[in-house]
Amino acid sequence: MYALFNLPDFSEPLIKQFLLQGASIFNRAGFTHIRDMTSSLTQWKINLEFLERPDFLLHVEHWFVCEEVKNINSLIETIKNCKSQENPWMKIRGIKVFVDGSLGSNTACLSHHYTGLNHSGQMIFDGADFKNILREAWKNRLQVAAHAIGDEASHKVINWAREVYAEGIQGYLHLEHAEILRPETIQNMKSLHVRCHL
């Protein structure tokens, strides 16, 4: 996952090509509404430009990625500036955070070791940093989507959210993928505004 954040950004012409191809694929399959979970300022601007095109027919919910906690305040300012350009076809919902890895690469954070391996995955954010992101996002009325695949990652995210709620700061939290959830994690969600996406 750390390698992903160090890759160079795609060029604008390539992003435009990807977005047009993606819109065409979704429209042919009957989809008219998508959640863009790895958006950026560049993508937002291109999507606004595409609203003038007859071949781009998608309602897009944008989620801007926060790669490091030190970027949270500048990211929120960027989002605030973009929100003035929202329209019925283009919305900004909030901030996406990659909390753990994936099951396929044995990096999703589990409560037990992977079979035949001497580790249980990894967390990309610690509690202090993730809670800071929650605080700043929720204070600014932005939702937070956490890529949390492993059961331990989801459990930690929910408990961190409960700690921020206890401070009197509340907002919406989305668990992206929610592939493995423990019963006690689901129980701890009851007092929170949580949406699980499968």
Side-chain angles (χ1 to χ4, degrees):
M1 191 60 64
Y2 296 110
L4 174 65
F5 296 150
N6 290 312
L7 293 172
D9 292 334
F10 291 119
S11 66
E12 280 196 35
L14 203 52
I15 293 173
K16 288 181 178 181
Q17 178 185 334
F18 289 157
L19 290 177
L20 287 175
Q21 287 176 343
S24 175
I25 291 168
F26 279 119
N27 289 160
R28 282 198 310 270
F31 292 97
T32 57
H33 183 128
I34 65 166
R35 299 167 74 230
D36 186 339
M37 300 307 296
T38 54
S39 193
S40 64
L41 179 59
T42 301
Q43 259 178 249
W44 172 262
K45 289 178 177 177
I46 292 171
N47 273 172
L48 283 176
E49 176 188 326
F50 279 3
L51 291 181
E52 306 299 320
R53 297 182 61 127
D55 56 345
F56 190 82
L57 300 171
L58 281 178
H59 173 105
V60 183
E61 289 187 2
H62 289 261
W63 295 77
F64 282 34
V65 175
C66 182
E67 297 176 4
E68 296 181 88
V69 68
K70 68 180 182 182
N71 299 334
I72 187 62
N73 291 319
S74 61
L75 182 61
I76 287 172
E77 284 307 307
T78 297
I79 290 172
K80 283 181 177 178
N81 292 334
C82 293
K83 272 194 161 289
S84 64
Q85 301 169 306
E86 283 186 319
N87 58 69
W89 288 88
M90 294 271 292
K91 303 285 184 187
I92 296 181
R93 289 293 179 234
I95 294 168
K96 166 80 174 285
V97 182
F98 287 91
V99 176
D100 70 346
S102 69
L103 289 171
S105 64
N106 299 324
T107 53
C109 187
L110 306 179
S111 53
H112 301 286
H113 284 172
Y114 283 88
T115 303
L117 300 174
N118 194 29
H119 71 86
S120 56
Q122 65 184 42
M123 294 291 289
I124 296 172
F125 280 85
D126 63 22
D129 285 350
F130 188 77
K131 286 188 287 184
N132 273 338
I133 291 170
L134 287 178
R135 285 187 197 101
E136 295 307 315
W138 288 348
K139 283 181 197 173
N140 287 279
R141 304 179 73 128
L142 294 171
Q143 300 177 38
V144 175
H147 164 109
I149 291 181
D151 69 310
E152 186 64 16
S154 294
H155 194 71
K156 287 181 177 183
V157 164
I158 293 301
N159 286 338
W160 294 336
R162 287 169 61 91
E163 291 174 28
V164 175
Y165 263 53
E167 298 170 12
I169 304 168
Q170 299 184 4
Y172 282 97
L173 175 65
H174 299 252
L175 286 184
E176 301 301 324
H177 311 298
E179 290 191 29
I180 308 172
L181 294 174
R182 303 201 297 265
E184 60 266 34
T185 306
I186 296 170
Q187 183 70 26
N188 287 348
M189 289 181 190
K190 286 188 176 181
S191 59
L192 308 176
H193 300 298
V194 180
R195 294 172 179 166
C196 295
H197 301 268
L198 306 177

